[in-house]
Amino acid sequence: VTTMPWLWTNRGYNRMLRYKRHGSLGDLDGAIADFEQALAGTPAGDPHVYRRAVNMSWASEERFDRLLARGEQFVLVEIDGIERWLGPRDLVSPISLLESLLAPDNGRPPASSQDRPEMKRNLANLLTKNALFVEARAYQDRVADLHRAVRLLQEAMTETVPGSSEHDSIAHSLVVTVEKGGDALGAMGPGS
């Protein structure tokens, strides 16, 4: 089965549907584990990696929304010796994954015109939550993440068809990011 990542993807998706219907945290945890297994089994040249990354980031964001990092260990990710992300695993892991896949030289075939804006939307949503809820981070890093989130959402909007459900979803995320980010970080001030 480990050589067939699509089976893990299907099981994870079905667990997410069951979670949405019944609200079992076990289903949500299982879906994340399945999506992670699917990603781990995806060969380097397989373009399905992008859709699987979208699934994993979606499920991780759902778990963060449900638990708000209660009891979850914070992780620190270093890239090239520089501390990059500090925050709950459900935010930090998908942020790291999506950023690496959106990098121009990621060593994989390009993402589809549908997957790319979805990855940008999911990354922006995760960056926004990391900025708003992880108060252990420096104020300037949190503000920088909000600015990046807005920029990613603006880019994603230009990559979708106006009036489509994808375009509307991205536009909604942009409005929420600007409103919540401005209210929360503006009220805290740079001394926080």
Side-chain angles (χ1 to χ4, degrees):
V1 174
T2 56
T3 61
M4 297 185 212
W6 61 272
L7 290 173
W8 291 103
T9 301
N10 288 346
R11 186 167 88 164
Y13 190 75
N14 286 321
R15 283 182 168 179
M16 282 301 291
L17 292 176
R18 194 167 59 191
Y19 166 73
K20 290 289 193 177
R21 183 174 182 122
H22 300 290
S24 167
L25 189 56
D27 285 332
L28 184 55
D29 290 338
I32 292 169
D34 289 342
F35 290 143
E36 288 173 344
Q37 185 68 38
L39 277 165
T42 304
D46 189 340
H48 290 100
V49 70
Y50 299 110
R51 172 62 33 204
R52 292 176 184 143
V54 167
N55 289 336
M56 196 275 283
S57 64
W58 164 53
S60 293
E61 184 178 358
E62 282 283 332
R63 186 165 62 185
F64 178 81
D65 289 347
R66 168 99 182 251
L67 300 175
L68 287 178
R70 288 189 302 268
E72 187 177 293
Q73 288 190 349
F74 276 39
V75 293
L76 182 66
V77 174
E78 288 188 28
I79 296 179
D80 299 328
I82 300 170
E83 292 180 356
R84 184 66 180 87
W85 297 286
L86 170 68
R89 179 176 43 92
D90 282 333
L91 296 179
V92 170
S93 293
I95 286 172
S96 176
L97 173 66
L98 292 173
E99 283 200 333
S100 69
L101 290 175
L102 284 167
D105 299 324
N106 69 11
R108 298 180 183 269
S112 73
S113 59
Q114 179 184 357
D115 290 340
R116 193 161 182 79
E118 284 189 59
M119 289 191 317
K120 287 181 179 181
R121 181 198 61 220
N122 286 15
L123 176 56
N125 290 344
L126 293 162
L127 287 169
T128 299
K129 288 178 181 180
N130 204 29
L132 296 178
F133 295 106
V134 184
E135 297 176 5
R137 298 175 63 228
Y139 174 82
Q140 64 270 18
D141 293 338
R142 296 168 72 193
V143 170
D145 280 350
L146 283 173
H147 286 291
R148 272 188 56 229
V150 168
R151 189 177 67 252
L152 283 164
L153 291 167
Q154 289 170 334
E155 289 173 11
M157 284 183 68
T158 66
E159 297 170 1
T160 57
V161 177
S164 67
S165 61
E166 295 84 9
H167 189 273
D168 293 346
S169 173
I170 293 166
H172 175 74
S173 289
L174 179 59
V175 169
V176 169
T177 297
V178 169
E179 286 179 352
K180 287 187 177 180
D183 290 346
L185 292 181
M188 288 183 346
S192 299

